[in-house]
Amino acid sequence: MPAQILDGKAYAAKLRAQVADAVAGLIRRGRPAPGLAVVLVGDDAASQVYVRNKVKATEGAGMRSIEHRLSADTTQDALLAQVALLNRDPSVDGILVQLPLPRHLDPAPIIAAISPEKDVDGLTIENVGRLAAGRPGLVPCTPLGCMLLLDAAIGDLAGKRALVIGRSALVGRPIAQLLTQANATVTVAHSKTRDLPEESRRAEILVAAIGQADFVRGDWIAPGAVVIDVGINRVVENGPSGEQRARLVGDVAYDEALQVAGAITPVPGGVGPMTIACLLANTAVAAHRRHGEMPPRWSLKED
Ligand code: NDP
């Protein structure tokens, strides 16, 4: 039987609806609508699209979107000053500096300058530390989205054997920490791992965050395993009349995996849509905390 397809678009819509409910609740209790500030430097085409989508989703959830578009020649000091302004602005609950920045800017000090309470990307050392220590903070959006999908697909992860392929600070590492917090037994694989196919075959949960098209083959996957494919890779291939066309594929050979896995996220339409929805969720959490209210708990499980 082919795997259950974990429809990230539908789950993301469900999460956005939960965020909108939480925002409506805040407003009913006399709080201002949460504000998400996005800072975009330069004119990178992909970033423009991401920011447009974020603005639309933010407003769709009843929150305020605050956009700061800065020119490509913005200096490090000017960008730091912009972040400092947003840190102090009481109408801003979340701050996101769209990456990548133009090459003359150093992202590390910019991210470090964001107030941890408003760091809705979960990238400041403070939030990285809170996650490592198992303390409440703001969790990076893509890892949070993966965990919500796993919760919907499996429920209790206690004792499950999980393999995370990839150990980046943005994706692999935080996912491994969240899986550990959820009581899974976690292995982290990377480019130096020996016999990755064999490691993979032991996993009941397989998270691929590598950045290489179709890297994980169908015969690496244990029958019934739940596969979360984080990878987004652009491949160019020949169309029926010889023309070149681009396609997005994941890190997992999808058609092969579909025959073996118990459940799998497609690419596109799996983890990707969850990432923006989790950005909204984090902004709502930050707003609740700022007003001294208990933040909502998100769940995409069937009611
Ligand atoms: P990085 O390049 O930062 O990390 C890739 C990881 O994969 C590294 O830990 C690397 O190991 C490991 N790796 C590379 N080659 C191999 C190999 N041959 N065998 C085993 N492990 C290997 O990428 P990111 O974590 O930032 O992103 C991963 C993928 O996720 C990309 O395709 C990216 O586009 C996608 N992505 C998707 C998002 C979404 O919203 N869906 C959001 C963010 C990223 P080592 O540490 O040893 O070098």
Side-chain angles (χ1 to χ4, degrees):
M1 203 171 61
Q4 177 200 351
I5 294 168
L6 299 171
D7 180 350
K9 274 193 203 162
Y11 282 122
K14 191 167 175 181
L15 180 57
R16 287 199 305 272
Q18 289 179 16
V19 173
D21 274 354
V23 167
L26 274 177
I27 293 169
R28 262 198 316 275
R29 294 189 293 280
R31 314 290 192 193
L36 172 63
V38 180
V39 182
L40 175 61
V41 187
D43 38 28
D44 179 76
S47 295
Q48 305 268 358
V49 176
Y50 294 144
V51 167
R52 216 169 29 242
N53 290 342
K54 284 170 187 171
V55 168
K56 216 171 105 194
T58 305
E59 290 171 349
M63 302 199 272
R64 273 182 354 104
S65 172
I66 305 128
E67 265 180 280
H68 289 276
R69 289 173 183 269
L70 308 181
S71 65
D73 60 359
T74 298
T75 62
Q76 186 89 10
D77 283 349
L79 185 51
L80 282 169
Q82 179 66 69
V83 170
L85 268 179
L86 294 171
N87 282 341
R88 286 196 299 272
D89 186 338
S91 71
V92 170
D93 292 282
I95 302 171
L96 181 143
V97 176
Q98 183 66 45
L99 301 176
L101 291 170
R103 289 163 67 98
H104 68 282
L105 297 173
D106 180 0
I110 307 288
I111 289 165
I114 298 173
S115 158
E117 284 68 37
K118 298 189 178 188
D119 167 31
V120 281
D121 253 347
L123 296 180
T124 57
I125 293 297
E126 173 86 19
N127 279 316
V128 171
R130 285 182 194 170
L131 178 58
R135 304 254 294 275
L138 289 164
V139 174
C141 301
T142 300
L144 178 60
C146 293
M147 292 306 291
L148 288 170
L149 289 173
L150 283 170
D151 182 50
I154 301 177
D156 188 8
L157 306 188
K160 297 274 183 203
R161 278 190 306 278
L163 175 71
V164 181
I165 312 178
R167 56 176 166 180
S168 71
L170 190 65
V171 191
R173 208 172 288 240
I175 292 177
Q177 284 166 331
L178 289 166
L179 284 165
T180 306
Q181 270 177 29
N183 297 318
T185 302
V186 184
T187 303
V188 180
H190 44 74
S191 63
K192 307 289 185 291
T193 298
R194 269 187 289 126
D195 206 357
L196 190 51
E198 206 42 53
E199 288 290 346
S200 302
R201 282 181 206 116
R202 277 195 284 275
E204 297 166 280
I205 297 169
L206 196 157
V207 181
I210 309 158
Q212 292 191 36
D214 296 341
F215 184 81
V216 176
R217 310 308 310 193
D219 65 357
W220 297 19
I221 295 169
V226 176
V227 178
I228 304 289
D229 190 351
V230 184
I232 302 178
N233 309 288
R234 197 168 167 273
V235 293
V236 178
E237 53 194 15
N238 290 327
S241 27
E243 79 284 5
Q244 293 219 310
R245 55 184 187 190
R247 200 163 61 93
L248 290 184
V249 301
D251 289 343
V252 178
Y254 184 73
D255 292 340
E256 295 175 16
L258 206 54
Q259 305 309 316
V260 201
I264 184 167
T265 57
V267 178
V271 175
M274 287 298 294
T275 298
I276 291 189
C278 287
L279 176 68
L280 308 181
N282 275 348
T283 306
V285 165
H288 279 74
R289 288 192 183 135
R290 186 158 70 88
H291 297 301
E293 295 198 17
M294 186 71 109
R297 292 183 70 86
W298 318 111
S299 171
L300 305 179
K301 276 192 246 176
E302 292 302 319
D303 305 318

